[in-house]
Amino acid sequence: MASSIITRKQEKNRIEWIRSIVNNTESFTARSADTLARLQAESQESNSPENILGHLRLCGTIPEEIKVDSSAEKAYSKYTDSVVAEALIACGLTALVLDTRGNSADVEGVSQNLIENYDFVADAKAFRLTRTAKNQKDFKLSSLSAWKNAKKYGFVVAPSYHLPVRKSQIYNQITSSNVSILTFTHLATLVSYENHSPNQSAALLKELLDVPAYLNPSDSALPYWQTVNNIMVSDSTLKDIWLEEKEATIESLNILKQEGLDYLSRERSRIMKMTRQ
């Protein structure tokens, strides 16, 4: 049997994070600050990127035990923004999570590792595994384009299994608004690549963010993802990491599916224990 890419430690860490998010009764601002501080502490535990990789591989799915439109769901959304910011920092960039709750991007950052410096805004998107509809409004690409203000780039990070694979107005918005979508799989690859080849991921991210500027407007997914993914196999080290992270994405789906089934089982038991009244 092949060894797992996602470690048991990473799975257990997710369980602990979900429990913490659900049980935390502090204000939204305090929760957000706690989340960022905890992620930063995890990142500083060792020189290994394994902690942040665990978050990137599993955070794209909102757990079913977190109620819809609850304060915990909002806290989970801020958690995913913090994961993206910490991942970008692990890639050698400077990034911060904004405290604002509307009419702005959630993450801002800059790269100072290149002769040509660049700046950006970013948003993380997470969905429930049971969500099947891919509404273009959920990704807020047009809003993100406006929120760039004077910054050069804007991009959304989303789970690959929730993105339209054939046609969608999302891809028209990408090419017409000059904003990008990357997946958590792409970001995890950048983090690992930086660990293998220091000071390279900032340039690689810029190459990915330049893709929309070179494409003709189209609602087809193929030209965009073909161009993006060709970049991910542009050298042998990067290609090996990319293939591993694709395998990790498949593993994550099985883990997250079981997570949902376990929650369903617990809810059934709880309901069966209720009195008739």
Side-chain angles (χ1 to χ4, degrees):
M1 181 178 177
S3 60
S4 296
I5 298 169
I6 299 176
T7 66
R8 181 59 187 152
K9 179 183 176 182
Q10 291 172 345
E11 289 186 59
K12 288 176 66 177
N13 198 34
R14 173 170 170 80
I15 293 169
E16 291 170 5
W17 269 87
I18 293 170
R19 187 179 299 121
S20 175
I21 289 171
V22 169
N23 294 333
N24 193 330
T25 57
E26 294 180 305
S27 67
F28 177 81
T29 301
R31 279 181 170 187
S32 299
D34 287 348
T35 294
L36 190 56
R38 187 175 167 190
L39 279 171
Q40 289 170 343
E42 279 190 10
S43 298
Q44 293 166 5
E45 281 179 4
S46 68
N47 293 325
S48 168
E50 288 307 305
N51 284 334
I52 193 64
L53 287 174
H55 288 289
L56 288 167
R57 290 163 177 169
L58 295 166
C59 76
T61 290
I62 302 172
E64 290 298 334
E65 66 184 274
I66 292 181
K67 306 302 180 186
V68 177
D69 294 330
S70 64
S71 58
E73 187 178 69
K74 294 178 177 65
Y76 190 89
S77 176
K78 187 58 71 174
Y79 153 69
T80 58
D81 291 324
S82 299
V83 168
V84 167
E86 282 302 301
L88 292 168
I89 291 169
C91 289
L93 295 100
T94 301
L96 59 86
V97 181
L98 301 179
D99 292 332
T100 52
R101 295 184 62 183
N103 296 321
S104 75
D106 290 312
V107 177
E108 285 191 0
V110 298
S111 167
Q112 297 177 313
N113 292 341
L114 302 174
I115 295 173
E116 181 186 358
N117 295 342
Y118 65 94
D119 51 14
F120 57 84
V121 295
D123 267 348
K125 298 298 177 187
F127 303 96
R128 296 175 189 276
L129 201 59
T130 50
R131 177 79 176 270
T132 55
K134 286 91 172 177
N135 192 323
Q136 60 174 313
K137 294 180 181 178
D138 292 332
F139 296 93
K140 297 183 179 178
L141 293 173
S142 296
S143 297
L144 190 64
S145 178
W147 295 337
K148 284 194 303 180
N149 295 317
K151 291 181 172 54
K152 186 170 185 179
Y153 299 112
F155 64 98
V156 166
V157 183
S160 58
Y161 41 84
H162 277 291
L163 291 169
V165 296
R166 293 181 181 174
K167 288 189 176 184
S168 171
Q169 284 302 309
I170 287 171
Y171 300 108
N172 254 327
Q173 291 174 1
I174 285 172
T175 50
S176 61
S177 302
N178 199 23
V179 291
S180 305
I181 289 184
L182 299 177
T183 70
F184 287 104
T185 309
H186 290 98
L187 199 50
T189 302
L190 288 175
V191 169
S192 288
Y193 187 57
E194 183 68 14
N195 192 53
H196 283 81
S197 305
N199 304 317
Q200 297 300 311
S201 288
L204 181 59
L205 177 61
K206 183 179 185 298
E207 192 174 353
L208 292 169
L209 299 183
D210 277 330
V211 167
Y214 302 124
L215 295 177
N216 291 322
S218 170
D219 63 357
S220 174
L222 181 60
Y224 179 73
W225 289 119
Q226 192 172 56
T227 307
V228 166
N229 292 339
N230 281 342
I231 294 171
M232 303 307 290
V233 295
S234 56
D235 76 52
S236 57
T237 299
L238 183 59
K239 180 179 179 180
D240 289 343
I241 297 170
W242 171 239
L243 293 175
E244 181 175 81
E245 287 303 327
K246 285 179 67 179
E247 287 296 319
T249 300
I250 295 171
E251 283 184 19
S252 74
L253 277 170
N254 291 326
I255 292 168
L256 296 167
K257 180 179 72 173
Q258 190 60 51
E259 177 183 279
L261 291 172
D262 289 345
Y263 172 71
L264 174 62
S265 178
R266 292 194 299 271
E267 283 296 282
R268 280 179 170 167
S269 295
R270 183 182 66 83
I271 293 168
M272 290 171 69
K273 291 175 183 176
M274 289 179 176
T275 65
R276 188 174 297 274
Q277 287 74 23

